Amino acid sequence: MTKAIHFAAMLLLVPAAAVQAASFPEKPVTILVPYSAGGITDQIGRILADKLGKKWNQPVVVENKPGAGAAIGTAAVANGKADGYQLLIGSVGTVTNQFMLKSLPYKTQDLEPLLQISEAPNVLYVRSSLPVKSVTELVDYAKKNPGKLTFANSGIGSSPHLAAALFQDKAKISITNVPYRGTSAAIADFLGGQVDAYFDTMQSMPYVKQGKLTVLGVAAQNRVPGHPDVPTIAESGIADVLASSWFGVFIPAKTPEAIKTEISKAITEAMQDQQTARKIEDLGTVIQVRDRQQFKQFFDKETQRWGELIKRLNIAGS
C-alpha cells in the first residue's frame, strides 16, 4: 500500500465532524448581537470578533439585529444553520424572552449556552440634580412623591429593567418605567435629565466624576473592586437586590460537538489575552469565563430566578 493510499484510508476512519472542525472556519463567521449598536453587548461582540478574526485568519463580522427584547436576533441564530458560522452574543434578555413574549419565534432547546465571557453588577445611578445622595434617600423621596420619579431601561426584560423591578419590589416603592431601544438611547436621555434613575454597569462612573450623575449603590453581595466607596444596596437596608448584566456566546444546539469544542477553545484563548480582557473590562465588566457546563448551570439558575420574578410581578413584554 502506497503512502497516499494509506493516508486516504486513514481519512475514511476519521469522523466527518472532526475533519470539519479541524479546518474550521473555511469562510467568514458572523457574531450576531440582538441589540442595537453602541451598547456593551455590541462592543464585546466587536472586541471578540477582532480577536477571533486574527486567530482564524477569516473575517468575523458583527451583525446587529435588535428588536422584541433580543428575541429577533436570538431567533436568527437559533433557527439558523447549525454549522458554527453564526454565533450569538447573549445577555439577560436571552433568559427573559420566554417569559416576556406571548409568542417566542424560536424553541429554547434549539439554542445552547457555549461560553460565558464576563459579567457586571448593576449599579444604581440618579441624575445629579435629583435631591438624593443615598439609596435610603431615594426610597424616602419615592414614597413622599408617588408617581413623580422615572426609571430608564434599555428594553423590557433587559438587565436594567429587571434590576429596577427587583429594587422597587424589595423597597416597596413604585417608580414609572421608561423603556428604550438599547443602552445608548437610555443613557443619552438619562444624561439629558429626561429620566431620573437608571441601573447601569460601572461604565457610567465617569459621568459621576463629571458631576452629571450620582451613584447610590451596587446590586451585588460585595462592593466592586476599584470602587470601594460605592456601597452595596444591602448596606443601605434593602436586602436581596442582586442583579448583574452578563455576556456569553450561544450557538445552535445541533452544531457538531467538534465544532462547539473548537469555537469554545478559540474564545477561551481570546479571553486569556490580556489586551482583549482589558478592553472588555474597560466597558465596566469583570472577566468571568464559564465553560459549557458551568455556563449552562448559571443560565438555568438565572432562568429560574428571573422567571419567578417576572411571573410574580406580572411583567409583560410584547
Side-chain angles (χ1 to χ4, degrees):
M1 182 180 293
T2 66
K3 290 184 178 180
I5 295 176
H6 177 71
F7 179 71
M10 290 296 291
L11 281 178
L12 293 176
L13 300 177
V14 179
V19 175
Q20 212 175 4
S23 59
F24 181 89
E26 297 179 308
K27 60 182 181 180
V29 174
T30 297
I31 293 180
L32 200 146
V33 175
Y35 302 100
S36 56
I40 295 181
T41 312
D42 174 66
Q43 293 181 67
I44 288 177
R46 293 181 188 280
I47 292 169
L48 187 60
D50 179 65
K51 188 64 179 178
L52 291 178
K54 293 174 181 176
K55 174 178 174 56
W56 285 334
N57 197 30
Q58 284 282 359
V60 179
V61 182
V62 172
E63 179 183 351
N64 297 90
K65 195 179 284 288
I72 293 177
T74 302
V77 175
N79 299 330
K81 289 184 178 180
D83 57 5
Y85 285 95
Q86 186 164 255
L87 308 174
L88 175 80
I89 295 287
S91 188
V92 177
T94 317
V95 163
T96 61
N97 285 339
Q98 59 192 293
F99 306 110
M100 302 292 299
L101 303 179
K102 295 178 181 178
S103 178
L104 199 63
Y106 62 92
K107 296 178 181 178
T108 55
Q109 63 266 31
D110 288 341
L111 196 67
E112 180 180 335
L114 185 65
L115 191 82
Q116 185 177 344
I117 294 172
S118 68
E119 66 180 295
N122 281 301
V123 180
L124 177 57
Y125 300 90
V126 294
R127 57 180 173 82
S128 58
S129 57
L130 196 68
V132 301
K133 299 300 178 183
S134 69
V135 169
T136 302
E137 290 182 6
L138 176 65
V139 172
D140 289 342
Y141 187 91
K143 290 180 177 180
K144 293 176 181 177
N145 299 274
K148 185 175 181 180
L149 294 177
T150 52
F151 238 128
N153 69 62
S154 55
I156 299 297
S158 64
S159 182
H161 177 213
L162 294 179
L166 179 61
F167 172 71
Q168 292 175 78
D169 182 55
K170 297 297 182 181
K172 307 303 180 186
I173 58 176
S174 179
I175 299 177
T176 302
N177 174 60
V178 183
Y180 287 85
R181 291 178 63 86
T183 303
S184 299
I187 291 180
D189 267 14
F190 185 34
L191 292 174
Q194 279 78 24
V195 284
D196 301 307
Y198 184 53
F199 269 101
D200 194 20
T201 67
M202 283 294 176
Q203 71 168 342
S204 284
M205 283 300 290
Y207 299 125
V208 175
K209 295 180 180 179
Q210 295 169 17
K212 297 179 180 179
L213 301 178
T214 300
V215 59
L216 302 185
V218 57
Q221 291 182 332
N222 303 300
R223 297 192 180 198
V224 178
H227 298 278
D229 295 335
V230 181
T232 66
I233 291 176
E235 288 178 283
S236 299
I238 312 296
D240 300 323
V241 180
L242 303 175
S244 65
S245 294
W246 50 262
F247 309 91
V249 177
F250 292 77
I251 195 169
K254 294 182 180 180
T255 303
E257 285 296 317
I259 292 180
K260 289 179 183 176
T261 300
E262 168 59 32
I263 295 172
S264 181
K265 179 182 176 182
I267 296 173
T268 300
E269 291 177 356
M271 298 311 301
Q272 291 172 345
D273 176 70
Q274 291 186 358
Q275 186 176 11
T276 300
R278 192 178 303 113
K279 289 179 180 178
I280 292 177
E281 288 175 336
D282 286 345
L283 299 175
T285 78
V286 177
I287 300 301
Q288 177 61 268
V289 177
R290 289 187 170 103
D291 61 25
R292 280 174 67 187
Q293 182 179 359
Q294 294 168 335
F295 190 22
K296 178 63 165 60
Q297 292 174 346
F298 173 78
F299 184 80
D300 289 344
K301 289 180 180 179
E302 286 285 277
T303 300
Q304 180 179 352
R305 79 186 190 98
W306 290 124
E308 290 175 352
L309 180 74
I310 290 168
K311 291 176 182 176
R312 182 166 59 81
L313 299 183
N314 195 28
I315 300 173
S318 56

